[in-house]
Amino acid sequence: MSSPEEKFCLKDVLLSFKSCLVDNDQDVLLEHYLNGWKGLVKFMNSLGSIFSFVSKDAVNKIQIMENFLKGTNGEKYQTLRSMVEYELNSNKVDLTNHSNNPNSGCRTILRLHRALRWLQLFLEKLRTSSEDSKTSTLCAEAYNDSLANFHPWIIRKTATVAFYALPARNKFFEVMNVGTTEEVIEMLGEAVPYASRVYDFTQELYSKHNLLDLP
Ligand SMILES: CCCCCCCCCCCCC/C=C/[C@@H](O)[C@H](COP(=O)(O)O)NC(=O)CCCCCCCCCCCCCCC
């Protein structure tokens, strides 16, 4: 478990998805977006090492993006829109294979974007779940309706097994560190829409530039 000073509060993390929205939801600040993911990874780590194969991949992708942000062309990576324009205009995106620019910002964010859909579905299921709902079932349903469509069999299998290790609903709510069950439900109702708005904007931007199937 995490030490007390790093105590996780899901509300703060989800609010990163609010603070990353700019220009009337027509752009996303990458630094805040990545902060949201970093907080989520912390939360996942606090659930135990069973999810380390997931957090490793997420951390790796966050790191790729942070390197772009800190790099010589960092200003081009301030927002999602500026990143897409820059990488497309300078041929930094592999549209057909996965060789010349294997880790472009566009394909890296696409992986996180797909995971954001899973998060959105999972949190919405948790919010509307009954007391006797199983978190593993809610998580698996959300996964099958989103990320699983992009994963090979072996990852789907591993993920599905790991979901059984998720804590029960009341324990899960407790770890979120938000308050009573009612307060958790209220917080999810307030905060999940921000993640949805980020998801919708990204989906529209990527669709407009035909980036939704990047290898
Ligand atoms: C709290 C439960 C956590 C369950 C996590 C559910 C998601 C399962 C995802 C399984 C991913 C397995 C790792 C490998 C993935 C990659 O193959 C694959 C493709 O990448 P590539 O094209 O570079 O090869 N990567 C991905 O699809 C990106 C996955 C990123 C997952 C980030 C998940 C962070 C989860 C944060 C949990 C926070 C939960 C908060 C809820 C209260």
Side-chain angles (χ1 to χ4, degrees):
M1 299 291 279
S2 51
S3 58
E5 61 274 17
E6 321 177 304
K7 231 177 167 201
F8 175 91
C9 174
L10 188 69
K11 185 172 184 177
D12 296 342
V13 173
L14 292 178
L15 287 181
S16 302
F17 291 106
K18 175 182 184 183
S19 66
C20 77
L21 283 161
V22 287
D23 292 348
N24 263 333
D25 293 1
Q26 289 311 299
D27 213 347
V28 158
L29 290 171
L30 273 176
E31 190 187 341
H32 293 253
Y33 181 86
L34 296 173
N35 283 342
W37 280 109
K38 283 198 253 182
L40 290 168
V41 167
K42 252 193 213 169
F43 177 66
M44 190 166 48
N45 287 342
S46 79
L47 297 177
S49 57
I50 181 103
F51 291 106
S52 57
F53 75 107
V54 183
S55 80
K56 245 189 183 162
D57 186 67
V59 165
N60 179 258
K61 288 176 168 53
I62 292 166
Q63 193 61 59
I64 291 171
M65 293 313 303
E66 289 197 320
N67 289 344
F68 282 131
L69 270 164
K70 281 188 281 182
T72 44
N73 292 311
E75 84 284 358
K76 315 277 193 216
Y77 288 85
Q78 295 306 304
T79 75
L80 215 50
R81 209 181 263 287
S82 65
M83 175 193 79
V84 166
E85 272 166 27
Y86 167 68
E87 288 201 339
L88 284 177
N89 291 339
S90 49
N91 291 326
K92 293 208 179 305
V93 185
D94 260 327
L95 297 168
T96 50
N97 58 50
H98 187 176
S99 54
N100 295 337
N101 293 296
N103 290 325
S104 66
C106 286
R107 68 91 60 194
T108 304
I109 289 291
L110 177 62
R111 271 53 184 178
L112 295 175
H113 168 65
R114 290 169 177 166
L116 190 61
R117 176 72 182 152
W118 159 79
L119 182 74
Q120 186 194 345
L121 295 177
F122 180 46
L123 294 180
E124 188 54 20
K125 280 176 189 291
L126 273 174
R127 187 181 75 82
T128 53
S129 61
S130 56
E131 219 174 306
D132 58 350
S133 299
K134 279 194 160 44
T135 46
S136 55
T137 308
L138 303 176
C139 186
E141 285 173 359
Y143 175 71
N144 290 335
D145 287 345
S146 56
L147 263 183
N149 296 310
F150 305 100
H151 287 164
W153 180 87
I154 184 70
I155 300 235
R156 292 204 305 269
K157 195 79 199 153
T158 314
T160 307
V161 171
F163 296 154
Y164 287 110
L166 280 174
R169 182 178 176 271
N170 57 352
K171 177 72 194 162
F172 206 81
F173 282 180
E174 212 177 282
V175 186
M176 287 179 186
N177 199 24
V178 170
T180 62
T181 296
E182 290 70 27
E183 285 167 329
V184 169
I185 291 172
E186 193 185 322
M187 180 283 289
L188 289 175
E190 275 169 35
V192 177
Y194 293 115
S196 307
R197 279 156 58 179
V198 172
Y199 178 86
D200 291 345
F201 163 70
T202 313
Q203 183 73 9
E204 200 185 311
L205 182 71
Y206 270 55
S207 162
K208 190 171 132 203
H209 293 282
N210 288 321
L211 296 173
L212 286 168
D213 296 313
L214 285 183

